[in-house]
Amino acid sequence: MNMIKLFVLAIFIILAFLATGCSTTVPVTMKFPESPGIVVMTPCPQLEKVQDDAKLSDITKTITVNYGTYYECAVKNDAWIEWYQKQKIIFEGVK
Amino acid sequence: MWMLQWLPNWIFYAVLIAGVFGLVVSYLIRFLSFIPFLYIYKTPIQIGSMIAIAIGTFMSGAIYDNDAWEARVKEMQEKVAAAEVQSKEENVKIVEKVVTKTQVIKTRGQDIVKYVDREVVKYDTKFAPGGECEIPKEFIKAINDAAEPPK
């Protein structure tokens, strides 16, 4: 009977030893990087269209506005590419 | 390690010292003849001391390991905090770049529209419907089709 008690005690001590290594919390977490902001978060607008009876100057203005819209959208796209590349470098630097 | 969070470190060092002390005493017990009943507890004292030494040694190592990990965690927390600051700084730079470029594009567009209103408008009558060089409907259709977003 004493041997059984001793065995149970030994098992309890071994389990207590092993349990000391248990941890339930992650000590360090890195948050997902924030976006640059509303400036680049707004979706690209649709391009303007030309009326059927448009004058030459109206057509030229519409094309000009559409080029501008494209380049504004391209700037946002480039900003996101740059954002990703910078954040990747920063993230990989945390080791 | 949760056990180290519950109990202070000195307890485990005390257990180790007590174990060593008990083991030494158990071997010197024969010289302690002035306490006659102590000799019968020699074996239990030795077993208890061995267990105390084992626990104390293990936990001393655990404390050392825990301290090393805590230092590493602190270092990582500092790095993460620095990275978050750097990330925000980069975001500010990116936003500044976007705002500047967008402003340039808008200004350029406005300048071109002014140019159109000043120079191109002169040809409106020439290219008006029924005029000398009427703009074909196919031309307008092609422009509008190109402006159509993908579905």
Side-chain angles (χ1 to χ4, degrees):
Chain A
M1 192 65 180
N2 285 338
M3 287 300 288
I4 293 170
K5 284 181 181 174
L6 195 65
F7 179 74
V8 170
L9 181 67
I11 294 293
F12 177 78
I13 290 168
I14 289 167
L15 288 176
F17 271 135
L18 295 175
T20 53
C22 296
S23 176
T24 54
T25 54
V26 179
V28 184
T29 53
M30 194 167 178
K31 286 187 285 184
F32 191 80
E34 288 181 24
S35 76
I38 194 78
V39 178
V40 292
M41 290 292 277
T42 48
C44 296
Q46 288 190 6
L47 299 178
E48 288 185 14
K49 290 186 178 176
V50 182
Q51 299 291 325
D52 286 342
D53 56 345
K55 299 172 196 166
L56 180 67
S57 59
D58 294 332
I59 295 169
T60 315
K61 279 183 206 173
T62 302
I63 291 169
T64 303
V65 169
N66 283 347
Y67 278 164
T69 304
Y70 160 75
Y71 278 115
E72 283 177 30
C73 197
V75 166
K76 285 182 196 171
N77 186 51
D78 292 346
W80 277 114
I81 292 169
E82 187 182 350
W83 178 86
Y84 170 76
Q85 289 169 342
K86 298 275 184 187
Q87 298 302 328
K88 190 169 185 279
I89 290 167
I90 293 168
F91 180 81
E92 287 174 351
V94 180
K95 282 180 183 173
Chain B
M1 284 192 174
W2 57 271
M3 193 177 273
L4 296 176
Q5 290 169 354
W6 284 0
L7 298 170
N9 291 351
W10 64 264
I11 286 182
F12 301 107
Y13 294 128
V15 167
L16 178 62
I17 291 167
V20 172
F21 181 75
L23 198 64
V24 171
V25 166
S26 71
Y27 283 108
L28 299 176
I29 217 160
R30 69 183 69 172
F31 302 111
L32 303 174
S33 54
F34 55 91
I35 314 174
F37 61 89
L38 202 60
Y39 191 77
I40 59 172
Y41 295 112
K42 182 186 173 186
T43 306
I45 288 172
Q46 281 181 337
I47 291 170
S49 299
M50 294 282 191
I51 292 170
I53 288 170
I55 292 171
T57 305
F58 179 84
M59 291 310 294
S60 298
I63 289 165
Y64 177 80
D65 183 60
N66 194 49
D67 289 348
W69 273 109
E70 279 181 355
R72 177 86 176 121
V73 166
K74 194 178 175 189
E75 183 192 355
M76 284 301 289
Q77 282 172 336
E78 286 169 0
K79 280 185 179 177
V80 166
E84 283 173 357
V85 170
Q86 197 182 351
S87 169
K88 284 178 183 169
E89 287 172 356
E90 291 297 338
N91 280 355
V92 170
K93 286 180 192 170
I94 289 169
V95 168
E96 282 174 356
K97 203 181 282 183
V98 169
V99 168
T100 307
K101 283 185 177 178
T102 305
Q103 190 56 45
V104 168
I105 292 164
K106 281 186 190 299
T107 308
R108 193 177 64 174
Q110 287 165 358
D111 290 346
I112 294 168
V113 167
K114 282 178 190 169
Y115 174 80
V116 170
D117 284 339
R118 194 176 64 243
E119 300 294 335
V120 181
V121 78
K122 295 173 188 171
Y123 301 93
D124 276 355
T125 49
K126 192 175 178 181
F127 288 88
E132 191 181 340
C133 302
E134 184 181 347
I135 297 169
K137 294 252 184 284
E138 290 78 8
F139 178 77
I140 292 174
K141 183 183 180 301
I143 289 174
N144 286 341
D145 286 349
E148 191 74 32
K151 290 173 184 171

